Every structure is written in structure tokens, then in C-alpha cells.
Amino acid sequence: MSDANINFFKADLRSMEFTLYEHLGAQELFEHEYYEHMSREDCDQVMQQTLRLCNEVLGPINSSGDRQGCTLKDGVVTTPDGYKEAWKQLWELGLPNFSVSLEAGGFQGPMAVLGMLSELQMGANISFTMYSGLTYGAMELIEHFGTDDDKARFIEGMTSGRYGGTMCLSEPHAGSDVGAITTTATHIDGNSYLIKGSKCWISGGDHDLAENIIHLLLARVEGAPEGTQGISLFIVPRDVINEDGSSGENNNVITASLEHKLGINSSATAVLNFGDDGDCVGYLCGSEENVGMKQMFKMMNGARLSVGLQGHSVAATAYLNALAYARDRKQGASVKAFKDPNAPRVSIIEHSDVRRMLLEMKSKIDGMRAIAGKMALHLDWVNVLRDKDPDQAAYHQGQVDLLTPIVKAYCSDQGFRVCETAIQVYGGAGYVKDNPVEQYLRDSKIFSIYEGTNHIQALDLVVRKLRGRKGQDLADFSGDLTDFVEANSQDPAIGAETQLLGEASERLQTAGAAIVGYMMEGKLDQLTLYATPFMQAMSHVAVCHLLLEAALVAEGARTQDFDQSQEEFDFYAGKVMSGKFYANFIMPEVFSLCRAICSADRSAIDIPDNGFCTQW
Amino acid sequence: MKILVTAKRVPDPETTIKVNADGTGIEEAGIKWVVNPFDEIAIEEALRIKEAQGEAEVVIVSVGSADCQEQLRTGLAMGADRAILVSADNPDPTAVSRILEKIVEQESPDLVIMGKQAIDDDSNEVGQMLAQRLGWPQATFISELELAGGGGSATCVREIDGGLETLSFPLPAVITADLRLNEPRYASLPGIMKARKKPMEEIDASSLGIELGRSVTIVSVQPPPERAAGRVVESVDELIAALQGEAKVL
């Protein structure tokens, strides 16, 4: 097979514009002080330039990077060919700083637009975007919690591409159970500590794109309380940073190994040893010990939104590739000509079942884009309203909190399934490496695992988020939904589907009451058993609501503008069908999920271990 | 040094073009518009000269509807210093060359760099006509440019049939860019944000005191003939017969 760098990436800018502006109305943000230094035209230009970077630079090194992978030799990690050049171009363009605050030297663009820019970059090359994404996340932590001194030392390097960044949480025995970490920090003086311990699964843990790597690391100060209450956040540069800002010798941070993975092969996943054979100096982030988990939690909404976007983005390019293949590939005759052995062969897009798969993928992608976009927009409104209207800001923050686990888990689960369906559309051609969809599938599996497994998301939803602001967040969510159902149940285009959504929403409330019941009765094993199905049901309802809302917008545009081209008319028709299909074919899973929750079935808990299989 | 560059608003080369219902032009609804790719190369070249010289002003001009602002903003985002939008209703190449002549008189640039042609109508006329009107030297289809004598003269390599031709001439002059002159840069995020604050002057073409009427009338526009489907032949002999008899290429 040829190693030529082929760009398989495909993007649907028209759909992205529709969700962002026609459906969600993000343009309103630019009328408010926090975002008024920008305009939609600026953002359109940035989108165009980003798309060009994706097609010319990031896309062409996606499959070659997957094949080549990262290597560790003599303690040095090397990224695949072309990654260094791409890194340089990315930072010259300034893209990683799109939503960084003006104060920190960024452009303070809306998160909702950043979501679309991310969709492009992640779809073009998910592994590559890990390096810049983690740098952004680590920089944000320092910006929010660091002292002025921390900011002066680290932020410039992390917003110019000179430094990479990571999040060092997991340890060999502490993954989902973060409280179990054993890395220690011993106070030297000021905010300096000696760090000692081993961290694993560190994305971008080491690489050759930047001159230095800044690790944001969780460790336990000697004598700190047990569990998550005794964890502190440290800034640990790989190489000592000299007085003049240049990078000096190694700070005793050693890359012990790189993982060999199913996917995201050009993203280096490292085991890092800190302070193994010498002094490794870290700096407390901020000025308070034992608040590391709180600090991490504050930043988690953004990171989890990002993972949701990863699932969505890879799925979106997988869908568009499958669609192109379905239009091109000829196989079989039309079912209408089944009696005629000489009937002409047709493109497989003409077969009903292929159309079903394509529309299933499309509606899920429209839904993922809408729910991730909606969450990002809530974040933007929090920024806009924070000082002006605290009540409204609290409403938006509540919806961010509530949607965080849903966006992360829904998009990562469904994104993977869309990739699987994309392979099914290709048939055997999708199973081989000549086509891009097998890589999309492999790359996508990690999204439901890292940044809090999807079960952790479900627990976050049922244990914490449903009770957010004493239940007000959930009440707001349900209120928005009920208003929509009441207003549109008789709509000629989507009335029937809206009624179905209303029924599903009632079932969801019954299931929610059952979950609360298990919690009140202290039946924690059942609470945790039903958490995942509940989250899935709630996700379907939330996504279906957004898709029907989008369908209404599209139906309006389709029937009111008489000058539009046939293409535009068809585009809007596609959005209407996407909503109807989701409501009728996919969303009804809510009914079976809720039925299972209300059944109080305990089989999965009560089955004896040997009942799974007696051959241990 | 002052350099004047042009930016024509044209359909994105990736867009599917359809002829309009009465066959007089193309269907414009739903089209994405970009800077003519050859003009982008011209802008890039001007910016490189500016960077090499340290001090130079790059002024970017577009002629057409108010929507051309979008393309001027792209040029400003790439790094041009200011923009001039001359509003004119559907001007033909002759009218555009007259308009540009006036703009050159106002601006007195040392160099005009344009795309060799626009990818929409492929006229390939404006640069040549402008040089003639100004009485300036011209070098078209250039793939290399070198300034000498402190910007007083230029040497260009131009792509001609069967080879390359090297020309030297004094400035001011008009040059038109071919594909291989350079690879245009991306408009960076800082560039895009700065472009908002750069001046954009709007001039109504009718205020320039020149003849704007079209000297060329478009009679009809037709799509290229659709390619017929291929067919599978049974043998090499049949293929050769078809190539000789039907395609008449052997």
C-alpha cells in the first residue's frame, strides 16, 4: 500500500453554519460586551482558514501518522513525519488561542465557534489535536488558579507553541479512583516542592513538537488527608525553566514507556516517572494545598465538552466519507426492478437500507453537533451575563453542568457507533486500510473511556447534576422541554414527532423518580446499575428536542424563502427529515430504557459470579 | 515603496457551477465566494516584498459589488495595509482597466501586481490593458520576481510556451502573477482581527468620470457538454477498433 499522504477529511460547513447561527443563534453573542470585539464575518474567515489548514496540512498526515506512530528512543519521543511542521503552522495561525481570554493574550472568541473550529481540526486529525488541546487545558488551569508569578512564567510559552501541556492524573492503581494516587510532594520553600511518583496514560506526555512540556500534576503533600480531600495541583516543567524563560536541563521527568494502542496512534501516550533519580521540582498551582480536585473539577466542563466534540468530529468525517462512497459505489439493481435480471446497476445510495444507515448517521451527527453547540453556547452566555444578570448566568451555568456528562458520554458513545455504521456502508472496503473509516473506528473507542469513563459520567449525572441548585437545573431543563412540546404538538411538519417526544419525556420523569427513590432508600447498587441507562434515555430526549427545534427552523426557512436554490431547499428538507427520523427510529429507545429502570430488575446485581461462567 | 494589488471576487473553485435559467450567466444563489486564486498569489508577492524591504505599503483594490468587502478583508487579514472598494455594476475588463487607471493615478504606486487572470471568466486582459493605458512596462505570467536598484527596476521570469523568458524593466510597472510565483499564506487569527481596524475606502465608479459601459456583451453561457458514460469492451482488438473508428485518436 502506498504511503502517500492522502487527505480523507471531509467537512460540511453549511451544516455547521446552520447549527451555530440559524438554529442556536450564536450571532447574538457579538452584540454583547464580552464578545463585541469579534464579528460573525471574522469567525467565518477563521473557519475558512481552519478548513484550509485541515485539508492541506492536518488531514494529509492523519493516516500516515497512524501507520508510523510515535517512537521512544533514548528517552526521547518522536512524533510522525510532518507533525512538527503542522505544529508550527497551527500556532502561526493562532488557532489554539481562539477562546483564550484577551487578558492572557488570546482572542476571546465564543466557545460555540471554537466548537466548530475544533470539529474541523479533530475530524482532520484527532491525534494531532490532542497535543494542542491538552496544552490549552493545562494553560487554562494556570490562568484560573495560578499566582501572578505562575502566569508570568508559563502562559506565554503555552500560548505560543513553545511549551506543550499535559494533565497528569492517573497512576497505575488510580484511574477512575483518583483519590488513590500516591505521588508525593515534599515542601522545599516558597511554592516549590519535590515531586516523586509515576503517572500513566499521559496524552502528549512527551513529544518533539515543543521545546518544553509543562505537566499539571496531582500529588499528595506529606501529611495531607486521605482520599480526594488531600490532593494538590502542581506545575511541573519537564525541563527546568531558566530565569530568562529559556529551557534548561531535564527536571528529572523521565518518559518510561509509550503505550501501543488500538487507535490515536500518533498521539504519544506516556508513562512518566517524576523524581526517580534526582530532584524533580514542581510548583504548587495557586497558593493553597489540598484543593487540587476542586481546581480540576472547575476545568472539567471544558475538557469533557472537548471529548464529546472528539466523538462527534471523527464521526462527522466518517459519515461524509461513507456518503461519498455510497454515491459512487455501484452494486445491485433497484429493488423496483427486481424481476429484471438486466436492470442497470445502481449506486448503493439508492438502496433503502443504505439510506436508512446514512440518515441514522446524519441525524446522530446533527444531534451531536447541536447538543455540543448548545452546551458551548451556554458557556458563552455565562461569560456574557456573569456580572450583568446573575440569575440568567446561573441558569446557563446550571445547563452547562447538567449537559456536561450528557455531551461527553452521548457523543463519545454515538460517535463510535456512527463510525461502525460507516464501515457497514462501505462493506468489506471499509474493513481494509485503503479507506479511512477503519481508522476512524479505532481512533474513536478511547473517547468513552478517558476524561472520566462514561459510567463516571452517568454517576455524575444522577448523583450530582440532577440535584444541581436543589433541582433547579433539572427543572429548567424540563421546563424548556415542556414549553417546546406544548408549543409544537400540533405543528403540521413535526407535530406527531413532538407528541412522541412529550411521551418520552414523561417516561423519563417516571424513571427519574424511580432513580431518586433508589437513592433515598439507600439502594446504591441499583442506583449505579440504572445510572447508565438513565443517562442514555435523557440524552436521547435532549438530542431529540434539539433536532426537532432545528427541524422547525429548517421548515420555516424552506417554506418562506422563495428565491432559494434547489440545493438550499434540499438542505433544509434534510434537516427536517433528520429530526423526524431521529424521533421515530432512534429516540424511542427511551421507552425500553425507562421500562428497564422502572422494572427494578436486579439480575445484574444478583447473578452469582459463577453464574457468568463457571470456568474461571 | 507602494504596491497596488487587486482582489477579484470569484466563485470558490470547489463550488459546483450551474448556468442560470435564461442562459446569461451563472446561478449565484448559494455560491461561496473567494479571492481569485491568482490575485491571492499577487497579494502574497506584495507582502513578501514588503517583508523583505522592511518598509512598503500594500494597497488592495477590488472592483464590483459591496460584497467584495469580504475579499478585501481577506487580503487585509493576510497583511495588506489598506483597501479600496470601487463599486461598479458588472463591469467588463475594459471598464475595470479604466477604473484601475484612475486608482493608479490617485495612488501613484511603484508597482501594480495582479493575478494573470480571474478564474471565473478567464479573460486575461485587465493587466495588459492597464499597462497600456498607463504607458508602463508590463510583465505577464511571471513565476519569479526580483527587485533591484533599491526598488527602481525589476527582473521577472515569465512562463511562455516551451520555456521561460527573463525580462528586466524599470518601475513603475504592471506585473501579473502565474501559479508558480509563490504559495499564498494563511490569514492568521491575529491578522483577521487586525483587519477589522484597517481602513477601507469606498469609491463609487461613477464618480471617476470615465466610460463604464460594457464594450462586450455576453450573448449566452453554456455548461460544458456532459461526459458520456464509459463502456467496457470485451477485448483489446475491440478497444483498438473503437479508439480508431469512434474516438479517432489512433
Side-chain angles (χ1 to χ4, degrees):
Chain A
M1 189 171 40
S2 144
D3 266 345
N5 292 349
I6 305 168
N7 177 37
F8 289 106
F9 172 61
K10 291 183 190 298
D12 181 1
L13 279 195
R14 180 67 189 88
S15 267
M16 294 166 81
E17 263 175 28
F18 171 81
T19 300
L20 192 54
Y21 298 113
E22 289 173 72
H23 174 199
L24 299 177
Q27 61 275 23
E28 233 189 283
L29 292 170
F30 303 121
E31 292 163 20
H32 296 268
E33 199 186 334
Y34 195 85
Y35 292 117
E36 70 183 1
H37 59 285
M38 262 200 189
S39 68
R40 172 161 177 195
E41 288 69 37
D42 296 331
C43 294
D44 288 349
Q45 291 238 15
V46 180
M47 286 284 272
Q48 290 299 336
Q49 298 299 320
T50 305
L51 180 61
R52 190 176 149 199
L53 181 81
C54 290
N55 283 326
E56 293 176 2
V57 180
L58 303 187
I61 55 173
N62 189 35
S63 42
S64 60
D66 173 58
R67 257 171 263 141
Q68 199 182 340
C70 294
T71 49
L72 172 65
K73 203 178 164 203
D74 304 327
V76 176
V77 174
T78 307
T79 54
D81 295 342
Y83 277 52
K84 268 187 173 170
E85 294 77 6
W87 178 260
K88 192 164 164 279
Q89 272 187 286
L90 178 77
W91 287 95
E92 273 172 9
L93 222 64
L95 276 183
N97 294 333
F98 181 80
S99 287
V100 174
S101 69
L102 291 170
E103 209 187 329
F107 301 95
Q108 201 164 300
M111 293 293 291
V113 179
L114 179 68
M116 302 294 161
L117 298 173
S118 302
E119 175 178 341
L120 294 174
Q121 296 169 67
M122 289 168 172
N125 192 327
I126 187 63
S127 297
F128 178 81
T129 59
M130 299 281 293
Y131 296 107
S132 51
L134 284 154
T135 305
Y136 176 66
M139 187 282 301
E140 253 193 324
L141 274 170
I142 299 177
E143 200 208 342
H144 270 75
F145 304 112
T147 60
D148 288 346
D149 185 50
D150 295 336
K151 292 181 200 173
R153 290 179 71 187
F154 300 107
I155 287 193
E156 186 280 328
M158 298 175 87
T159 53
S160 62
R162 275 206 303 130
Y163 303 161
T166 78
M167 302 281 196
C168 296
L169 279 69
S170 294
E171 294 177 11
H173 299 287
S176 293
D177 183 9
V178 188
I181 63 164
T182 58
T183 297
T184 57
T186 314
H187 190 222
I188 313 171
D189 57 25
N191 70 337
S192 302
Y193 292 73
L194 277 183
I195 306 292
K196 193 166 172 56
S198 185
K199 293 284 178 181
C200 58
W201 308 120
I202 308 309
S203 299
D206 191 36
H207 56 79
D208 55 356
L209 305 176
E211 67 169 54
N212 201 348
I213 315 270
I214 311 300
H215 301 289
L216 273 280
L217 170 141
L218 292 183
R220 198 175 281 290
V221 178
E222 281 182 1
E226 292 289 301
T228 52
Q229 305 298 319
I231 292 177
S232 306
L233 180 65
F234 294 90
I235 307 168
V236 188
R238 180 195 63 195
D239 300 333
V240 171
I241 295 179
N242 300 320
E243 283 299 313
D244 64 353
S246 63
S247 302
E249 55 185 50
N250 186 285
N251 183 25
N252 209 250
V253 179
I254 306 297
T255 305
S257 64
L258 290 184
E259 303 297 343
H260 302 275
K261 309 189 296 290
L262 174 70
I264 58 166
N265 285 320
S266 53
S267 164
T269 308
V271 174
L272 298 177
N273 292 341
F274 294 84
D276 246 12
D277 11 67
D279 292 352
C280 169
V281 179
Y283 310 95
L284 185 67
C285 183
S287 45
E288 216 183 322
E289 289 179 0
N290 300 335
V291 293
M293 279 315 287
K294 241 196 257 170
Q295 292 171 321
M296 275 289 172
F297 264 113
K298 273 233 161 139
M299 294 287 97
M300 239 165 226
N301 286 337
R304 290 182 171 172
L305 168 61
S306 243
V307 176
L309 282 167
Q310 292 186 329
H312 162 60
S313 308
V314 177
T317 183
Y319 160 63
L320 293 171
N321 273 282
L323 177 62
Y325 185 81
R327 281 170 180 268
D328 186 56
R329 168 75 174 166
K330 287 203 164 38
Q331 194 75 189
S334 165
V335 68
K336 290 171 198 148
F338 72 100
K339 283 184 180 156
D340 174 9
N342 296 317
R345 306 293 94 179
V346 297
S347 298
I348 60 170
I349 195 173
E350 294 192 27
H351 301 315
S352 300
D353 194 59
V354 173
R355 296 179 88 79
R356 176 189 62 78
M357 289 191 281
L358 290 172
L359 188 51
E360 181 176 317
M361 288 191 275
K362 176 185 158 58
S363 67
K364 285 180 177 177
I365 284 156
D366 286 346
M368 289 189 272
R369 187 180 288 121
I371 197 160
K374 182 86 182 175
M375 174 181 160
L377 202 61
H378 281 305
L379 276 165
D380 291 328
W381 282 116
V382 173
N383 284 333
V384 166
L385 300 167
R386 189 173 287 127
D387 304 321
K388 307 222 150 69
D389 187 343
D391 285 350
Q392 271 301 303
Y395 157 76
H396 288 292
Q397 183 61 50
Q399 296 308 295
V400 168
D401 294 342
L402 194 62
L403 287 177
T404 296
I406 290 181
V407 167
K408 194 277 178 182
Y410 178 83
C411 297
S412 56
D413 279 341
Q414 296 300 336
F416 181 75
R417 281 169 207 164
V418 166
C419 292
E420 182 219 331
T421 309
I423 295 182
Q424 192 69 20
V425 169
Y426 270 83
Y431 195 69
V432 295
K433 289 183 187 280
D434 306 64
N435 285 309
V437 281
E438 63 81 31
Q439 186 192 342
Y440 294 147
L441 182 89
R442 286 185 290 106
D443 285 350
S444 291
K445 189 52 229 164
I446 190 63
F447 308 143
S448 64
I449 299 170
Y450 63 23
E451 197 50 47
T453 65
N454 284 2
H455 180 60
I456 294 279
Q457 306 303 319
L459 292 179
D460 179 42
L461 178 70
V462 301
V463 176
R464 233 177 267 128
K465 300 303 174 60
L466 293 185
R467 295 188 296 168
R469 287 197 303 151
K470 299 199 169 81
Q472 187 59 45
D473 295 341
L474 182 62
D476 288 345
F477 174 87
S478 310
D480 291 349
L481 185 66
T482 312
D483 291 349
F484 178 83
V485 170
E486 275 174 14
N488 301 296
S489 280
Q490 304 304 322
D491 184 86
I494 58 151
E497 286 75 17
T498 305
Q499 285 172 27
L500 191 59
L501 173 65
E503 282 172 42
S505 152
E506 280 168 27
R507 291 289 181 87
L508 183 69
Q509 284 181 21
T510 313
I515 294 257
V516 172
Y518 300 130
M519 199 170 349
M520 308 288 271
E521 293 161 29
K523 293 180 178 166
L524 297 186
D525 50 358
Q526 268 168 290
L527 177 72
T528 52
L529 174 62
Y530 303 128
T532 295
F534 181 80
M535 175 179 64
Q536 289 168 343
M538 185 166 168
S539 305
H540 279 314
V541 167
V543 166
C544 187
H545 174 196
L546 285 167
L547 285 175
L548 290 178
E549 206 175 76
L552 262 189
V553 172
E555 183 67 13
R558 181 162 80 129
T559 49
Q560 279 157 27
D561 177 3
F562 297 105
D563 292 331
Q564 65 195 318
S565 63
Q566 183 67 40
E567 233 167 78
E568 278 289 277
F569 187 80
D570 292 347
F571 171 82
Y572 288 124
K575 293 293 168 196
V576 177
M577 311 278 181
S578 177
K580 288 166 83 91
F581 180 88
Y582 194 90
N584 289 316
F585 274 71
I586 299 170
M587 190 277 289
E589 202 188 348
V590 171
F591 296 103
S592 59
L593 290 166
C594 289
R595 194 192 151 119
I597 294 167
C598 295
S599 75
D601 180 283
R602 292 181 46 93
S603 309
I605 298 163
D606 294 340
I607 180 175
D609 288 0
N610 280 331
F612 287 105
C613 177
T614 48
Q615 312 287 312
W616 290 94
Chain B
M1 185 173 196
K2 189 194 267 191
I3 307 166
L4 194 77
V5 291
T6 52
K8 186 176 184 185
R9 176 181 170 86
V10 298
D12 186 335
E14 306 277 322
T15 302
T16 320
I17 299 293
K18 289 192 194 106
V19 173
N20 65 15
D22 50 4
T24 55
I26 61 166
E27 192 67 68
E28 294 195 355
I31 283 189
K32 209 182 102 210
W33 300 86
V34 297
V35 176
N36 172 34
F38 290 111
D39 285 337
E40 252 188 341
I41 296 170
I43 298 167
E44 175 66 32
E45 196 62 20
L47 295 174
R48 288 185 188 189
I49 294 170
K50 180 182 166 164
E51 282 157 5
Q53 300 220 333
E55 231 174 288
E57 187 185 25
V58 177
V59 181
I60 175 169
V61 190
S62 191
V63 179
S65 71
D67 294 333
C68 296
Q69 279 195 23
E70 219 180 288
Q71 281 60 47
L72 289 171
R73 289 269 172 234
T74 303
L76 293 173
M78 286 172 72
D81 297 290
R82 61 189 170 88
I84 301 171
L85 168 61
V86 185
S87 51
D89 183 25
N90 194 21
D92 68 4
T94 311
V96 173
S97 71
R98 288 198 176 108
I99 290 169
L100 290 178
E101 181 192 8
K102 287 287 172 194
I103 299 298
V104 169
E105 280 171 13
Q106 282 179 17
E107 293 286 334
S108 326
D110 303 286
L111 186 58
V112 175
I113 313 181
M114 308 175 59
K116 69 168 181 178
Q117 67 197 57
I119 60 154
D120 50 359
D121 57 17
D122 277 343
S123 292
N124 181 1
E125 290 173 295
V126 176
Q128 293 88 329
M129 288 197 280
L130 176 63
Q132 172 67 26
R133 288 185 194 285
L134 294 166
W136 286 7
Q138 61 171 293
T140 52
F141 311 149
I142 67 156
S143 55
E144 280 175 48
L145 168 66
E146 215 170 297
L147 297 184
S153 64
T155 303
C156 285
V157 176
R158 54 191 303 267
E159 301 190 346
I160 56 169
D161 285 347
L164 299 172
E165 180 181 53
T166 306
L167 299 176
S168 287
F169 48 88
L171 299 187
V174 176
I175 62 181
T176 71
D178 212 330
L179 196 62
R180 275 162 287 274
L181 182 57
N182 60 49
E183 204 174 304
R185 70 193 62 193
Y186 292 71
S188 71
L189 197 38
I192 290 168
M193 296 308 291
K194 271 186 215 145
R196 287 165 64 89
K197 299 189 186 84
K198 291 180 178 174
M200 187 182 298
E201 185 187 354
E202 289 181 40
I203 297 174
D204 194 333
S206 61
S207 72
L208 295 171
I210 47 174
E211 175 55 48
L212 287 170
R214 292 186 68 94
S215 51
V216 176
T217 309
I218 293 173
V219 180
S220 81
V221 175
Q222 287 172 0
E226 268 195 47
R227 258 177 62 185
R231 75 170 201 269
V232 178
V233 291
E234 297 294 329
S235 66
V236 174
D237 289 343
E238 195 188 331
L239 174 65
I240 290 171
L243 289 173
Q244 281 173 335
E246 293 171 43
K248 302 194 194 324
V249 290
L250 286 182

